[in-house]
Amino acid sequence: MSIIIKVDMTTKKITTGKNPDYNMLGGRALSARILLDEVAPNCEPFGAKNKLVIAPGLLAGTPVTSGSRISCGAKSPMTNGIKEANCGGNTGIYLGRFGIKAVVIEGEPADDNAYVLKIGTDGASLLVMNELKLSGTYETDQKLRAKFGTDIGVLCIGPAGENRLKMAAIASSDPNGELRFAARGGLGAVMGSKGIKAVVVDKTLQQPVYHDRQKFMDMVRSIHAEFIDDPKIKQVNQKTGTATIVKAVNAMGALPTCNFRQGAIDGVDGLSGETMYETIINRGGEGKTGVSCMDGCLIKCSNIYPDASGKKICSTLQYENIALLGSNLGFTNLDPVAKLNHECDDIGVDAIEAGAVIGVAIDMGLGKWGDLDGCMALMKEIRNNTLLGKVLGHGVQVTGDVLGSRRIPAAKGQSFAGYDPRTLKGNGVTYAMSPMGADHTAGNCFGSRGEVNPLGTEKQGDLSRTLQYKMCALDSLGFCIFARPPLFKDPQKMATLVNSLLGTDLSVDQLWEIMGVNVVRTEREFNIRAGLSPANDKLPEYVYVEPLPPTNEVFDLSEEEMLKAIV
């Protein structure tokens, strides 16, 4: 991959070029480098100087399982710092096969047309498709498929992105006709500010150019064999997916409940992965488990959740959405969670942020716990872009500030994910210290709870730091986080893939440095230049003093321990 497409929305000019300095970078690593090289960190997130970078992972387009995720990056309107969000779908695969390393969208249009960027064998072009204006993500995807055919990859935004609401997400089409989301940080709003409603990429069977194809394919077969032989894939990932951990997080007292006022909820079984699986199987119809989010995925951790008649409500129910739209809003049944999940997806907002927003709103008297109609009414305000909807749509920090809340679960302006930092303290370190803000994917410590006591006050900084650069390396290569067991067990596998693809001779240590450590340092440098000093590396004051039932823990790590997390 070597092609970089630049789209200037001020002039509507599209240029294609190459930059040899970027040859070893992909995904999050490339996004961070381009943003630091080309964007003034103190620029306005919705202004002409900001850029949206769409970058498939370094291995995108190759047949390695779960290795073609796509990264979206920009200066975030939510955190006012650098942000990367990635997701599955087939767009990354097709861009990788075309040899496209990145699509950079810059400038701002003087008109209010809805533009579609079309990329195919004949190059890239901008089309005006005003019939898509304010359409939901599902309708947008369907209309694009009706026009361009079903064999396309689609990135699009919903009305939230067009209205520049700060929690707007970018949707990505998958091989099953469903949507995945690069959700966090408001990157859908940046896309909307550029006048881009969608990016359409033609399917291609073209293959990447390998330095040593045989060696690459031998390593792919070795990695795939480990996945095929792993009983956890079929017995856990393909049945309960990420929802597997609902009861475990509840048991450790870290499950967000009623605006993070509690760490556990009575009736958690109704939200569990086991209940989800049984419900999908018993209801049948359009319900499915073991669904892949991109071609060639062997993990298949997604699902389609149906109603009592078997008709699809949403795809897919994941742990984070169950936590923030479920227990955090007082629900102990998956049906209302699925309905809220679908509404978030169609409007095009980050479901994690939306759950935190509604939680604060209810906490401040704008609803009741466990009331679906009330929650849906708030989502309708966001869809309709009313005055209240604008407040809610700008995320939990703005919502809490406007409503006068002293309990805003956010770091760097972005909502906590599905783990309360008082009882999973390593995640509290990641929320505060990562350049990404409160984003669990930047360094989730839940999987290491057997190695480092989640309630302990030591080793949390070192754990967060290590996970930050390892997760960043996966994001840069284009791997799904669930591909990590064989890759982290023997990281030489990743080095071999990169070396046989590019003709490099990277050691494992060099791989971690280039794809992980240097990237996080680049992101931190951007944030410092943007005015996000170390004074911003903190959690809200209430978590330091308010005990969290049932463990009654507070976040009590020392500053010295926190500073260990700086990569």
Side-chain angles (χ1 to χ4, degrees), residues 144-306:
L144 291 171
R145 292 180 185 283
K147 181 176 179 66
F148 298 111
T150 56
D151 285 341
I152 56 174
V154 173
L155 295 176
C156 70
I157 57 174
E162 293 176 81
N163 291 327
R164 303 185 188 184
L165 299 181
K166 293 182 179 180
M167 66 175 181
I170 298 175
S172 173
S173 61
D174 77 5
N176 310 294
E178 302 297 340
L179 296 174
R180 309 292 158 170
F181 290 84
R184 310 231 64 194
L187 301 185
V190 176
M191 187 165 164
S193 75
K194 303 299 182 187
I196 298 291
K197 176 67 175 177
V199 178
V200 174
V201 185
D202 286 342
K203 180 178 181 179
T204 176
L205 298 179
Q206 181 177 315
Q207 291 296 310
V209 176
Y210 299 89
H211 173 75
D212 187 337
R213 187 178 185 279
Q214 185 62 52
K215 189 172 184 180
F216 188 93
M217 295 305 299
D218 287 345
M219 181 51 63
V220 168
R221 283 187 282 271
S222 173
I223 293 171
H224 288 190
E226 290 194 51
F227 279 98
I228 293 170
D229 292 340
D230 185 351
K232 182 181 177 182
I233 299 289
K234 288 186 178 180
Q235 297 303 317
V236 180
N237 295 95
Q238 295 180 9
K239 287 187 175 181
T240 51
T242 62
T244 300
I245 67 173
V246 170
K247 290 199 289 188
V249 180
N250 190 73
M252 70 187 296
L255 185 69
T257 301
C258 298
N259 190 30
F260 291 81
R261 286 191 176 275
Q262 299 167 209
I265 191 169
D266 292 335
V268 70
D269 284 349
L271 298 173
S272 69
E274 294 82 357
T275 295
M276 181 191 73
Y277 175 74
E278 292 168 3
T279 301
I280 292 172
I281 297 302
N282 291 336
R283 288 180 174 177
E286 296 176 354
K288 293 180 182 178
T289 60
V291 176
S292 62
C293 74
M294 67 174 68
D295 285 339
C297 174
L298 297 176
I299 301 173
K300 301 180 181 179
C301 67
S302 297
N303 56 72
I304 296 175
Y305 186 87

